[in-house]
Amino acid sequence: MAGPVPVASSLSDIYTIDAIGTQAKRWNNLLTRFQSIYGQQAEFVARSPGRVNIIGEHIDYSLYPVLPMAITADSLLAVSTNVTSASAKEGHYKIKIANVQDGRFPAHEFDIPYDAVDIDATVHEWTNYFKSGLRGALELLRKKHGKDFKPKSMQILMDGTVPAGGGLSSSAAFVSSSALAVMVANGEKTVDKTELTELAIVSERAVGVNSGGMDQSASVFSERGSALFVSFTPSLKARPVSFPKTNPELTFLIAQSFVTADKFVTGPIHYNLRVVECSLAAAYLNAVLNPPGTQLPSDASPLSVSLHGFHETYFALEEHASGATKSKSTEAQLEELVALTAEKLDKKDGYTREEIAAVLNISVDELDKQFTSRFPVRADRFKLRQRALHVFSEALRVLKFMSLLEQQPTNTDDTSEYNAQLGDLLNQTQDSCRDVYECSCKEIDELCSIARNAGSYGSRLTGAGWGGCSVHLVPADKVKAVKEAWEREYYSKLDLSEEQKEAAVVVSKPGSGSAVYLVEDTGPVKIDERDRTSDGLY
Ligand code: NG1
């Protein structure tokens, strides 16, 4: 899976066949608009998709593995570097950036000094996501080519189809495609997927969110037709995972709640607060369960200490102390951690800063410096028990889901029981997100229960939650019934535009990850002849 980001020679290398017709129109519109805005042809297009997470919610920033897959919706950046240097101020390069949705996302021109990319994370401005990809890519380019490396000016036109705040990771798609565009614009003939992902993870944190690494990994590494198992320790790794053939066949449906969840705005009480609570839980469990003075390893999680770090330290010390020759399985370890958390973190209404600081043997100021100063959070009590219980049990569900996928169903004529086992795990995730991690909302809960009543095996929120999208594992013969039930019981009660109605439910096939497309001539974007259907349409 590691290796360079592919260079696509046709849209058939990027999209599934059912998407090619719509995408060809969209790409040609992008390139025509580019020509009319900048008076010249784009040199290339950098593309990164959104993702849907199948299982493993809110555990990536605690460094536990997750199982997402890329979707068709994506972020495209058409780029040319043919910008006259006279147009940038002395000691600066020029970035001209526009969006096909220019009413919503106005065009900008920036003169950026060679030595720094300033991002004002307090302002919610769409181009911040480009700038954070730019900043990350330049750091990597400087590592490769020396600190005096001078970036090229760029003209960019963006077209994004991943709904913003919809739980399908529009931000990671935008940041990853931006970083990729900057690398290619600056002459990198090959861009390593792992390097791109790692820089996109760190870059995205510059926009004001303490994000984990799932979205960027799914966006960059995914392969068409497969889900992606992403693990973060000892280093970032991703591998494709296929779903076995089942009967009835399984389909993933993605349903929008149309509740917009903006991580940037609600971070202090939602996403960023959860990141802080998980790191505090790791430090607290370390203080009460490991020998005095044990330091947790500093790791790649947003606040450098994670529940996974605690997990590894705890069992390494236990094995060392007992002289055990055989390690417990990860499943057994996670079960033990769930039980230990329930026992040691017994305050259901949360812990105050003072209570935590006393156990960690540090001052409240020191606690704030280490845990709550990177991004502001608003909380008087931190729900360490609930957050750790969710993380350990969700990490266990991911392992159980993976082992089901690896086992394959025994009775291939009728795999209903097997399908139901997969679905159960998704339902358990939803219960935990709703009741323990408190990241669902009533609209998502409603979509899930409507779907289950209409035949879904498993239904849950996907992504950060508090609105956004839900994902449903539905037998192919129940897709129609589930969609009708949503229309009847949910969507018809909202005041939706035609466009929203169309985007409300998507049948998702696993899509491919980041790619670069070199624009060779002014003709239309290429599509392979083999993708033409018999009626001549794509
Ligand atoms: P969304 O908000 O759905 O893109 C976020 C995080 C992920 C992960 C999920 C919860 C970012 C960019 N993404 O996803 O890393 O933590 O929430 O599983 O912050």
Side-chain angles (χ1 to χ4, degrees), residues 51 57-58 60-61 167 169 204 211-212 214-215 263 271 463-464:
R51 62 96 190 94
E57 217 59 88
H58 282 281
D60 58 344
Y61 49 82
S169 203
E204 193 152 342
S211 78
M214 162 170 71
D215 303 349
K263 278 203 303 299
Y271 193 88

Side-chain angles (χ1 to χ4, degrees), residues 95-329:
I95 297 291
K96 295 184 185 176
I97 181 164
N99 196 301
V100 291
Q101 294 183 57
D102 45 5
R104 228 176 127 194
F105 304 111
H108 285 285
E109 269 194 45
F110 301 106
D111 280 350
I112 302 186
Y114 281 126
D115 55 351
V117 183
D118 266 349
I119 302 173
D120 184 355
T122 60
V123 180
H124 200 21
E125 159 55 44
W126 75 277
T127 52
N128 275 358
Y129 293 93
F130 173 78
K131 284 188 186 166
S132 68
L134 171 70
R135 179 148 91 186
L138 291 185
E139 266 167 38
L140 183 58
L141 286 165
R142 291 209 169 95
K143 260 191 223 143
K144 284 178 186 244
H145 303 295
K147 64 179 176 22
D148 293 330
F149 177 83
K150 288 201 170 46
K152 286 206 176 136
S153 292
M154 293 167 75
Q155 301 181 134
I156 301 151
L157 180 62
M158 190 223 175
D159 182 7
T161 49
V162 191
L168 298 176
S169 203
S170 54
S171 54
F174 192 5
V175 173
S176 310
S177 56
S178 300
L180 177 60
V182 174
M183 299 293 286
V184 176
N186 284 287
E188 293 300 295
K189 295 263 176 294
T190 56
V191 178
D192 181 72
K193 288 186 201 168
T194 309
E195 282 183 341
L196 177 64
T197 308
E198 283 171 345
L199 83 81
I201 296 172
V202 175
S203 304
E204 193 152 342
R205 294 185 186 149
V207 195
V209 176
N210 254 336
S211 78
M214 162 170 71
D215 303 349
Q216 299 81 356
S217 309
S219 189
V220 174
F221 281 103
S222 286
E223 288 184 4
R224 193 163 46 188
S226 305
L228 194 76
F229 181 75
V230 186
S231 51
F232 302 97
T233 57
S235 61
L236 176 71
K237 292 257 158 32
R239 71 178 161 89
V241 176
S242 353
F243 272 73
K245 218 172 152 26
T246 57
N247 189 10
E249 205 186 308
L250 291 172
T251 307
F252 282 103
L253 287 187
I254 304 174
Q256 288 275 356
S257 66
F258 292 108
V259 174
T260 305
D262 191 334
K263 278 203 303 299
F264 175 82
V265 176
T266 61
I269 53 164
H270 287 156
Y271 193 88
N272 287 341
L273 176 58
R274 294 295 180 276
V275 176
V276 167
E277 287 174 319
C278 286
S279 285
L280 284 173
Y284 193 104
L285 287 170
N286 177 54
V288 295
L289 284 166
N290 283 332
T294 305
Q295 292 291 321
L296 288 182
S298 168
D299 58 30
S301 63
L303 296 170
S304 306
V305 286
S306 66
L307 284 165
H308 187 272
F310 160 72
H311 174 161
E312 298 234 293
T313 311
Y314 178 76
F315 288 103
L317 290 171
E318 187 194 68
E319 263 175 46
H320 183 75
S322 67
T325 47
K326 196 167 164 290
S327 305
K328 288 175 183 158
S329 70

Side-chain angles (χ1 to χ4, degrees), residues 47 143 217 291 414 423 478:
R47 183 246 177 200
K143 260 191 223 143
S217 309
D414 176 5
K478 293 280 169 53

